[in-house]
Amino acid sequence: MPETPSDMPADDARPIERTVDPLYGRVMLKISGEALMGDQGFGLHPPTVERIAREVKSVRDLGVEICMVIGGGNIFRGLQGSAQGMERTTADYMGMLATVMNALAMQSALESMGVFTRVISAIPMDQVCEPYIRRRAVRHLEKKRVVIFAAGTGNPYFTTDTAATLRANEMKCEAIFKGTKVDGVYDKDPKKHADAKRYETVTYDEVLAQHLGVMDASAIALARENDMPIIVFSLDEPGGFRGILAGEGTYTRVAD
């Protein structure tokens, strides 16, 4: 079988440029599926996927080990399907398959930039991606490959936020980076309220008590139990992801 970019050894990848000492050595990047659709109302917007891939590459070039979880709401959202009369378990599995499509799109964009990437699915589908094996996934990270976890936890009734928090703990990440449309956590929607206040730091309990919408309650509880900080930042700000790793930028840190 001919060798594909994803099968080549990591040593053949472009060299990593350690120009600064990053704040974290291994991180989880969680983004929504909607982040990939740009100004469209549905589906994938290739220029937007490419832009986000460049952001990921810029952080990988700092020597940071990166894993990702991408939602599937730009293609299908299980909860909405359930609300429209579809059986919940079936709807959730359809949503998981949507995350695989997004993961493959991001893998393609990253590998076109010379970043070796693995898509690892909680639902086995050997023709297109690897099954989830924790030790193998850790080894990919150690070889500086970007690892994209797809299909959530493989179980219905769990969101991709919970999947990201679970995988971050399994991979022994140092922080979860939650890319959003705004540059942190606010007490109310900053797009609707000019007097909205941005938090520099906020505790897990405050997020839950005030319904701040960082992640769902299960994900926040899992992060709290394992002392996993969550960095909320704007994915729309060019260089924002790299800037935070370099000790700059605007964001909110969720921790105790």
Side-chain angles (χ1 to χ4, degrees):
M1 180 181 294
E3 194 174 56
T4 63
S6 60
D7 292 326
M8 294 184 206
D11 292 343
D12 285 351
R14 295 177 184 176
I16 294 172
E17 305 170 6
R18 291 180 176 84
T19 55
V20 298
D21 291 326
L23 295 180
Y24 302 103
R26 179 179 293 175
V27 300
M28 164 65 72
L29 174 62
K30 168 62 172 69
I31 62 177
S32 67
E34 287 88 342
L36 303 185
M37 66 186 187
D39 294 331
Q40 302 174 159
F42 180 81
L44 289 160
H45 184 239
T48 299
V49 176
E50 181 181 343
R51 176 182 62 79
I52 295 173
R54 282 197 301 269
E55 296 285 328
V56 173
K57 180 183 183 301
S58 71
V59 171
R60 179 261 182 194
D61 287 347
L62 292 177
V64 178
E65 297 171 3
I66 306 172
C67 50
M68 299 178 66
V69 168
I70 307 172
N74 57 318
I75 298 172
F76 188 88
R77 186 180 293 279
L79 199 57
Q80 290 179 351
S82 177
Q84 295 174 8
M86 186 176 292
E87 194 270 325
R88 174 64 188 271
T89 301
T90 299
D92 279 355
Y93 278 122
M94 292 173 67
M96 291 179 215
L97 296 177
T99 71
V100 176
M101 296 172 68
N102 285 338
L104 292 173
M106 182 59 64
Q107 179 187 42
S108 177
L110 284 166
E111 292 196 332
S112 72
M113 300 174 187
V115 178
F116 291 84
T117 308
R118 295 291 189 273
V119 173
I120 298 179
S121 173
I123 299 175
M125 47 185 78
D126 297 343
Q127 297 282 8
V128 295
C129 49
E130 296 182 10
Y132 177 67
I133 300 173
R134 188 185 66 83
R135 288 180 180 272
R136 181 183 292 176
V138 170
R139 185 60 178 148
H140 288 322
L141 290 172
E142 291 172 346
K143 291 184 176 181
K144 307 304 179 186
R145 297 164 180 159
V146 174
V147 175
I148 307 175
F149 295 108
T153 66
N155 302 289
Y157 297 94
F158 288 93
T159 67
T160 51
D161 281 344
T162 300
T165 309
L166 173 64
R167 298 297 186 228
N169 281 289
E170 290 178 312
M171 295 299 106
K172 299 188 182 302
C173 292
E174 297 170 32
I176 299 171
F177 278 69
K178 176 69 181 289
T180 69
K181 293 288 186 181
V182 293
D183 58 357
V185 180
Y186 286 78
D187 59 350
K188 47 192 169 184
D189 190 342
K191 295 184 178 181
K192 297 180 180 178
H193 303 277
D195 61 342
K197 173 189 173 184
R198 185 179 64 81
Y199 297 97
E200 293 288 338
T201 60
V202 63
T203 68
Y204 304 111
D205 289 339
E206 288 171 336
V207 168
L208 293 172
Q210 299 177 37
H211 304 285
L212 295 177
V214 176
M215 288 181 165
D216 65 76
S218 296
I220 294 295
L222 183 58
R224 179 183 60 190
E225 290 167 8
N226 293 279
D227 196 25
M228 176 70 68
I230 303 169
I231 309 298
V232 183
F233 72 106
S234 173
L235 196 64
D236 291 339
E237 180 182 348
F241 187 21
R242 179 189 172 100
I244 295 170
L245 268 299
E248 305 169 352
T250 303
Y251 58 91
T252 297
R253 188 173 190 269
V254 182
D256 276 336

